[in-house]
């Protein structure tokens, strides 16, 4: 049972550790202190839900079905990541992020969650990682051990997202300087462009 929990936790944590659009967004929300708990909770629950779906056996269906729509999914993801990268590049050039962090009194929760929903559920790798990969690995565990595996993988998501969101506060003093925000936005834009290129390649654009 403990082995199943540890396997789920290590696998889940290793998959989610890579910097991506969702992780960058969570980090940014933690830095500006907007809806930190809700954002971390949303990402954690979303992962737990997808993991549960995968382990429940739907991964067997999706592994065949996703081949039929993978090019469309990767294309949509590439376009979205490119757009998000351009927004961050614009902020890096204009230096507006500090003003947003300090002066903006309105950052609607609904719009934040809507944007986060797209970053979470429009990313094909979310399904490939949480549903198909984690779901497939779970097949080695019988009965209650499979539930323990789900618990371990889901726990990894909660630990990661809450650590990322609230750990960002320690960077707050550094982020008071405009140059720091420019560098962060530039880095996020760079990551988004790299991911967009990878998605475009996966969609057979070139």
């Amino acid at each position: 049972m403990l082995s199943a929990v540890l396997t789920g936790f290590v696998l889940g944590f290793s998959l989610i550790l890579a910097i991506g659009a969702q992780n960058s967004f969570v980090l940014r929300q933690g830095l500006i202190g907007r809806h930190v708990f809700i954002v971390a909770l949303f990402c954690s629950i979303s992962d737990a839900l997808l993991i549960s779906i995968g382990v429940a056996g739907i991964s067997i269906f999706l592994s065949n079905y996703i081949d039929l729509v993978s090019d469309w999914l990767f294309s949509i993801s590439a376009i979205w990541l490119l757009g998000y990268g351009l927004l961050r590049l614009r902020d890096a050039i204009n230096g507006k992020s500090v003003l947003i962090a300090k002066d903006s009194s309105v950052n609607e929760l609904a719009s934040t969650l809507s944007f986060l929903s797209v970053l979470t559920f429009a990313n094909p790798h979310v399904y490939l990682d949480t549903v198909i990969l984690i779901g497939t690995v779970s097949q080695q565990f019988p009965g209650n051990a499979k539930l323990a595996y789900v618990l371990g993988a889901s726990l990894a998501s909660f630990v990661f997202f809450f650590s990322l969101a609230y750990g960002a506060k320690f960077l707050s003093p550094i982020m008071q300087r405009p140059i720091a925000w420019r560098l962060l936005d530039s880095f996020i834009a760079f990551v988004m462009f790299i991911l967009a290129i990878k998605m475009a390649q996966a969609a057979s654009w070139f």
Side-chain angles (χ1 to χ4, degrees):
M1 193 74 70
L2 179 60
S3 174
V5 173
L6 291 176
T7 299
F9 185 88
V10 172
L11 178 60
F13 202 88
S14 62
L15 290 175
I16 203 173
L17 191 60
I19 295 176
Q22 184 191 51
N23 295 349
S24 298
F25 186 80
V26 173
L27 175 63
R28 201 167 189 275
Q29 289 300 117
L31 287 171
I32 65 177
R34 300 288 184 183
H35 313 303
V36 179
F37 178 81
I38 297 298
V39 166
L41 184 64
F42 178 89
C43 292
S44 302
I45 292 178
S46 297
D47 263 14
L49 176 62
L50 292 172
I51 289 168
S52 298
I53 291 174
V55 175
I58 298 182
S59 58
I60 298 175
F61 166 74
L62 285 181
S63 61
N64 296 321
Y65 178 74
I66 201 169
D67 290 336
L68 303 176
V69 297
S70 59
D71 284 350
W72 286 100
L73 290 175
F74 283 122
S75 296
I76 293 172
S77 180
I79 294 171
W80 181 261
L81 289 169
L82 177 62
Y84 185 62
L86 289 173
L87 288 176
R88 297 282 68 79
L89 181 60
R90 180 200 62 187
D91 288 345
I93 295 173
N94 295 336
K96 291 183 178 180
S97 290
V98 174
L99 296 178
I100 294 173
K102 289 181 178 180
D103 300 332
S104 178
S105 59
V106 178
N107 189 353
E108 293 295 337
L109 178 60
S111 62
T112 298
L113 292 181
S114 296
F115 191 77
L116 185 57
S117 295
V118 175
L119 291 180
T120 300
F121 296 108
N123 181 5
H125 280 295
V126 169
Y127 302 99
L128 293 173
D129 289 347
T130 60
V131 177
I132 295 178
L133 180 56
I134 293 180
T136 300
V137 173
S138 72
Q139 303 307 312
Q140 65 182 297
F141 298 110
N144 292 333
K146 189 171 292 186
L147 294 177
Y149 173 82
V150 171
L151 176 63
S154 300
L155 181 61
S157 294
F158 278 86
V159 170
F160 176 82
F161 282 118
F162 276 92
S163 297
L164 180 64
Y166 284 98
K169 288 185 176 181
F170 293 104
L171 298 176
S172 293
I174 299 175
M175 303 310 292
Q176 297 299 321
R177 293 179 291 179
I179 185 62
W181 276 101
R182 288 178 182 269
L183 290 174
L184 177 63
D185 282 329
S186 297
F187 175 72
I188 292 176
F190 175 76
V191 172
M192 296 304 102
F193 293 148
I194 294 298
L195 291 174
I197 291 173
K198 289 183 178 180
M199 293 296 100
Q201 288 177 330
S204 303
W205 286 12
F206 49 84

